[in-house]
Amino acid sequence: MKLPKKVLIANRGEIALRVIRACHQLGIKTVAVHSKADVDALHVKLATESVCIGPALAKESYLNIASIMSAATATGADAIHPGYGFLSENPAFAEICSSCGITFIGPTVRNMRMMGDKARARRAADKAGVPTIPGDSQGYLNSEEAFAIAKNVGFPILLKACAGGGGRGMKVVENAESFSGLFSTAQREVEAAFGDGHLLVEKYLPKVRHIEVQIAGDIAGNVIHLGIRDCSIQRRHQKLIEEAPSIGLDPALQRQIENAAVELGKSAGYTNVGTVEFLADVVSNKFYFIEMNTRLQVEHPVTEMVTDTDIVKEQIRLAMGNDLTISQDSVVMKGHVIEARINAEDPKTLIPSPGLITAYHAPGGHGVRVDSALYSGYTVQPYYDSLIAKLVVRGEDRNSCIEKLLVALDEFIIEGIKTNIELHRRILRHPDFVTGRHHTKFLDSIQLFSEKETWGSDVRTHA
Ligand code: ADP
């Protein structure tokens, strides 16, 4: 088995720890890179060695390719793991790694380019015979051309950035009258956020589930799936709770979705791990491709726990040109797993809440996993994503999993800042979530907090 000798992790927080641990378990040395604001971060303490790559702002440090490449060269790293976010889906970065003789732990540059643009990704799905959402597989800069497509598809439609991500810049257009105004607003936002104003026109599907499939492929052309994840609990198109399997999803439809993901992977010649995302209508039993992420997902632990696999180790092995070590037959979902994303934010207003952690205790026990870089005395920085912990729980079935997660949330102590732990408690107890009547707009359509409730940072976050 060919493995790298030293991996530089071009990331921070919990995902940097996740990768460092996998490397050390494989006998690989690690290099942590960090901004000046992250001198005391746990990934710096746990890595074999560390290098400061710039000031606090991400564009001067974690997105600073020159600085990261200098750190890799100076420390003799022979591979770079990008984690998620930051440079993980940047084909130019992957190309620079390869021109420096450093293995980029991810798919090929060709795969990244093909899937990095939502219009191009739709065309790849069309080619593989995978159903896409009614709409068009071209990106538009011109409002009149896009309007013609919208009229054809029928309102309501959704405008989204071809180069987009993280749910940013999406606009639902209810009728023809509001099209041109919303097109201009969306284009301005998208141009500012991604530097590319091309917009995709798709039918807007209300009350659907977000179902995604974890796939993995090797350079010999083998592609397998590791089952689905249901990520329908979202806030403004951003995932908050993920689970596997999916309640109420017909097993035959699940198999069709998994097979479609593998077909796309094969048709694209996909190598390494990736996630194919779909929207599924559990009433009409239809499903549609939305996009593919060519990187490790935040929610990969859900799949790891429900299938008892290690996706990060497989990712490292695949990047070095090894064959898949997991066979399709060995992938079996056992029990039920739910992940709750714990964010440093006011649970009601969603305003970020950075600051000093004055007390910290993570829950534990059978089937309870916490991926976090927090510790007591650590200061959550205001410069980066507000995700501070992922609490992932496995139960024999969905109900026992929900109960176990509620107990674990009660045990979680994070003092000094506000967190969304209480929000998770309320979602998990909501009858529509418990009975599986939820969908991607569920959280945006209900009120979980009364007008009077406020959250102070002095409030203990455990029961
Ligand atoms: P991003 O890359 O910005 O995360 P995605 O295409 O992955 O965008 O979609 C994110 C979420 O937005 C989906 O999970 C779903 O909730 C919503 N969404 C995307 N496309 C549609 C659509 N055509 N109709 C309704 N909701 C959609």
Side-chain angles (χ1 to χ4, degrees):
M1 174 86 56
K2 196 164 177 274
L3 289 176
K5 290 193 171 49
K6 197 187 265 188
V7 172
L8 180 145
I9 297 98
N11 216 301
R12 63 182 301 283
E14 65 86 20
I15 197 61
L17 292 195
R18 170 72 190 91
V19 177
I20 288 170
R21 287 176 178 137
C23 289
H24 290 179
Q25 287 163 16
L26 289 169
I28 303 166
K29 293 195 172 66
T30 53
V31 182
V33 292
H34 66 90
S35 68
K36 283 188 183 150
D38 271 342
V39 176
D40 296 324
L42 210 48
H43 73 286
V44 177
K45 297 180 203 282
L46 292 198
T48 320
E49 56 192 303
S50 63
V51 181
C52 181
I53 49 163
L57 285 184
K59 71 173 184 338
E60 295 174 31
S61 49
Y62 297 103
L63 291 171
N64 183 340
I65 296 181
S67 236
I68 292 169
M69 295 316 294
S70 310
T73 317
T75 54
D78 53 349
I80 292 184
H81 194 301
Y84 53 68
F86 295 130
L87 297 168
S88 61
E89 290 180 291
N90 183 329
F93 178 57
E95 219 156 28
I96 291 169
C97 288
S98 115
S99 65
C100 293
I102 293 173
T103 302
F104 175 81
I105 301 177
T108 59
V109 170
R110 183 183 155 268
N111 286 155
M112 289 169 84
R113 290 227 161 89
M114 183 190 292
M115 300 302 177
D117 176 286
K118 284 189 206 295
R120 219 176 291 147
R122 269 184 70 114
R123 295 201 287 277
D126 293 338
K127 185 173 162 228
V130 172
T132 50
I133 295 179
D136 191 67
S137 300
Q138 299 293 330
Y140 290 93
L141 284 173
N142 179 297
S143 172
E144 280 91 61
E145 279 172 28
F147 182 68
I149 304 295
K151 250 187 17 201
N152 221 3
V153 168
F155 290 93
I157 61 107
L158 184 71
L159 292 173
K160 49 177 161 175
C162 289
R168 284 168 76 189
M170 285 189 189
K171 292 266 175 289
V172 181
V173 187
E174 297 288 351
N175 48 49
E177 292 68 49
S178 50
F179 186 87
S180 119
L182 284 169
F183 188 92
S184 307
T185 316
Q187 197 158 49
R188 267 198 308 277
E189 282 179 24
V190 159
E191 181 84 49
F194 308 108
D196 176 352
H198 282 89
L199 293 175
L200 202 65
V201 181
E202 271 182 5
K203 180 88 189 156
Y204 175 68
L205 304 176
K207 303 207 171 175
V208 281
R209 294 277 186 83
H210 174 114
I211 305 289
E212 60 185 32
V213 184
Q214 177 74 58
I215 66 160
D218 60 24
I219 53 169
N222 303 302
V223 179
I224 60 158
H225 71 79
L226 287 95
I228 54 122
R229 294 183 288 257
D230 183 328
C231 313
S232 303
I233 298 293
Q234 305 180 352
R235 198 91 192 237
R236 299 175 192 159
H237 306 304
Q238 291 200 0
K239 297 163 187 168
L240 198 62
I241 292 179
E242 299 98 342
E243 61 181 316
S246 164
I247 182 171
L249 185 73
D250 179 30
L253 182 62
Q254 177 177 332
R255 273 193 301 278
Q256 279 181 45
I257 296 175
E258 289 164 344
N259 291 340
V262 171
E263 281 313 310
L264 177 58
K266 282 188 176 152
S267 154
Y270 195 82
T271 57
N272 213 268
V273 309
T275 296
V276 187
E277 298 193 333
F278 300 90
L279 293 182
D281 185 332
V282 293
V283 180
S284 68
N285 265 359
K286 289 210 167 99
F287 70 98
Y288 311 90
F289 168 83
I290 44 171
E291 68 159 350
M292 177 165 191
N293 290 324
T294 55
R295 54 166 165 83
L296 190 65
Q297 304 270 108
V298 173
E299 60 274 22
H300 75 276
V302 172
T303 301
E304 293 190 324
M305 283 185 84
V306 83
T307 61
D308 194 20
T309 50
D310 189 318
I311 294 171
V312 178
K313 284 186 188 163
E314 193 67 4
Q315 195 182 22
I316 296 169
R317 290 189 286 253
L318 290 169
M320 296 303 288
N322 299 295
D323 291 345
L324 279 162
T325 65
I326 306 167
S327 70
Q328 189 64 73
D329 293 346
S330 67
V331 177
V332 183
M333 281 202 195
K334 207 158 162 252
H336 197 97
V337 173
I338 307 182
E339 171 179 279
R341 295 191 188 196
I342 313 293
N343 295 331
E345 66 189 17
D346 183 302
K348 191 177 165 192
T349 62
L350 307 184
I351 294 169
S353 175
L356 178 71
I357 305 291
T358 53
Y360 180 75
H361 164 79
H366 181 255
V368 177
R369 167 173 169 178
V370 178
D371 281 19
S372 174
L374 288 193
Y375 59 87
S376 184
Y378 172 73
T379 299
V380 175
Q381 298 297 325
Y383 313 101
Y384 315 110
D385 197 272
S386 62
L387 179 77
I388 47 169
K390 300 184 314 205
L391 174 56
V392 200
V393 163
R394 184 173 168 277
E396 279 166 24
D397 53 33
R398 191 169 186 266
N399 285 342
S400 63
C401 188
I402 291 175
E403 287 310 316
K404 204 187 247 193
L405 185 50
L406 282 165
V407 171
L409 286 167
D410 283 349
E411 200 190 319
F412 221 147
I413 299 175
I414 304 173
E415 285 181 7
I417 59 165
K418 300 176 194 178
T419 77
N420 62 352
I421 287 180
E422 181 57 25
L423 174 65
H424 280 295
R425 284 200 191 96
R426 294 186 190 196
I427 298 168
L428 292 170
R429 290 201 189 99
H430 195 285
D432 286 357
F433 178 75
V434 173
T435 55
R437 277 176 291 161
H438 59 288
H439 48 79
T440 50
K441 298 293 161 307
F442 162 75
L443 213 49
D444 295 327
S445 63
I446 55 164
Q447 203 166 358
L448 285 168
F449 293 95
S450 73
E451 289 302 317
K452 278 190 240 124
E453 279 173 291
T454 52
W455 248 253
S457 60
D458 55 330
V459 172
R460 286 175 72 92
T461 53
H462 68 295

